[in-house]
Amino acid sequence: MADPEHESKSDLGDAPIHGGEGGGLKAAADPAGLAALVSRAARAGKGPPPVERWNPAFCGDLDMEIRADGTWFYMGTPIGRPALVQLFSSVLRKDEDGRTYLVTPVERVGIRVVDAPFVAVEVDVAGEGRDRIMTFRTNVGDVVEAGPDHPIRFVDEPETGGLKPYLMVRGRLEALVSRPVMYELVEHGEEIEVDGRAMFSIRSKGCVFPIMPAAELERLSR
């Protein structure tokens, strides 16, 4: 079998995803074989695949899971090659039903996501106040500027009493902001009035993203 990373860099044209007898995403027996199939849709190096425009039939569930720490598993085994993970992530889509799928022009298969499909592992903060821009990098290589098209939301985490921040990356797919990056965000927080209420918030590209009521932060800081 050809090396999937080499194959993904070549011009695979519009060859069908199904390859060989009993081919298709569900029939792939290992990550390398699956990558060879997905690469035909991803067309690496030619821009992101237009997964939002594809409307293939649902072909069942695949034994693939993205754990809360961003590690991908296939058939119970971690996928250790970052190039394969990036390839699979390029054809991810979350639909209105709340489920996440690998999507090609001819197939749509469900996968399991424990929390968010991506993790924001790095942030660069430039500018001050209303001119501030926060640029994030995810574990699969997406680079996203938080703003009107890529909002940040904060969710209460009852089991720890803390907050979990999520960044919208593409489509309905979010990245969980890692703990070290979360600490960096808090360093740039400021008290801003939102809907008549004082909120501890952060800014990026002219948008305000509330973290918590300023009074609650003051109470926790005592």
Side-chain angles (χ1 to χ4, degrees):
M1 178 179 294
D3 179 75
E5 292 185 37
H6 174 76
E7 186 175 11
S8 67
K9 294 176 183 175
S10 64
D11 186 354
L12 295 167
D14 296 316
I17 293 300
H18 294 278
E21 186 176 346
L25 295 178
K26 287 203 70 182
D30 58 74
L34 183 62
L37 296 174
V38 171
S39 66
R40 293 178 174 84
R43 297 175 62 87
K46 299 192 174 184
V51 294
E52 302 300 328
R53 298 203 302 266
W54 294 338
N55 189 32
F58 176 61
C59 299
D61 293 320
L62 192 68
D63 187 9
M64 180 176 285
E65 180 176 79
I66 305 175
R67 301 282 174 87
D69 65 355
T71 302
W72 289 55
F73 281 73
Y74 183 57
M75 300 180 71
T77 301
I79 302 175
R81 297 171 66 184
L84 297 188
V85 170
Q86 289 180 9
L87 179 61
F88 298 149
S89 72
S90 71
V91 292
L92 272 186
R93 191 177 79 193
K94 186 175 183 179
D95 287 357
E96 291 181 357
D97 60 7
R99 297 196 61 200
T100 304
Y101 302 90
L102 288 180
V103 182
T104 75
V106 296
E107 290 184 273
R108 176 167 54 97
V109 295
I111 69 169
R112 300 184 300 277
V113 179
V114 173
D115 195 336
F118 311 135
V119 178
V121 295
E122 186 178 0
V123 64
D124 176 77
V125 181
E128 296 292 336
R130 297 177 184 273
D131 296 324
R132 178 176 292 133
I133 297 178
M134 294 185 170
T135 305
F136 295 82
R137 179 178 63 84
T138 73
N139 62 317
V140 294
D142 290 292
V143 176
V144 175
E145 292 183 349
D149 296 325
H150 302 281
I152 302 171
R153 65 185 181 99
F154 295 84
V155 177
D156 290 328
E157 192 174 26
E159 58 269 26
T160 65
L163 292 171
K164 295 174 71 174
Y166 293 88
L167 168 71
M168 185 61 68
V169 177
R170 46 187 155 92
R172 298 182 181 89
L173 300 173
E174 292 183 308
L176 173 66
V177 177
S178 67
R179 189 69 62 184
V181 174
M182 168 64 171
Y183 293 148
E184 290 188 59
L185 299 187
V186 170
E187 290 179 2
H188 297 280
E190 55 187 298
E191 186 175 315
I192 301 173
E193 185 173 313
V194 179
D195 297 329
R197 189 180 188 187
M199 300 290 294
F200 183 67
S201 310
I202 56 175
R203 299 178 187 266
S204 183
K205 294 192 75 172
C207 292
V208 173
F209 303 112
I211 299 176
M212 66 172 64
E216 177 68 11
L217 177 63
E218 183 178 353
R219 184 187 67 81
L220 294 173
S221 302
R222 290 174 185 169

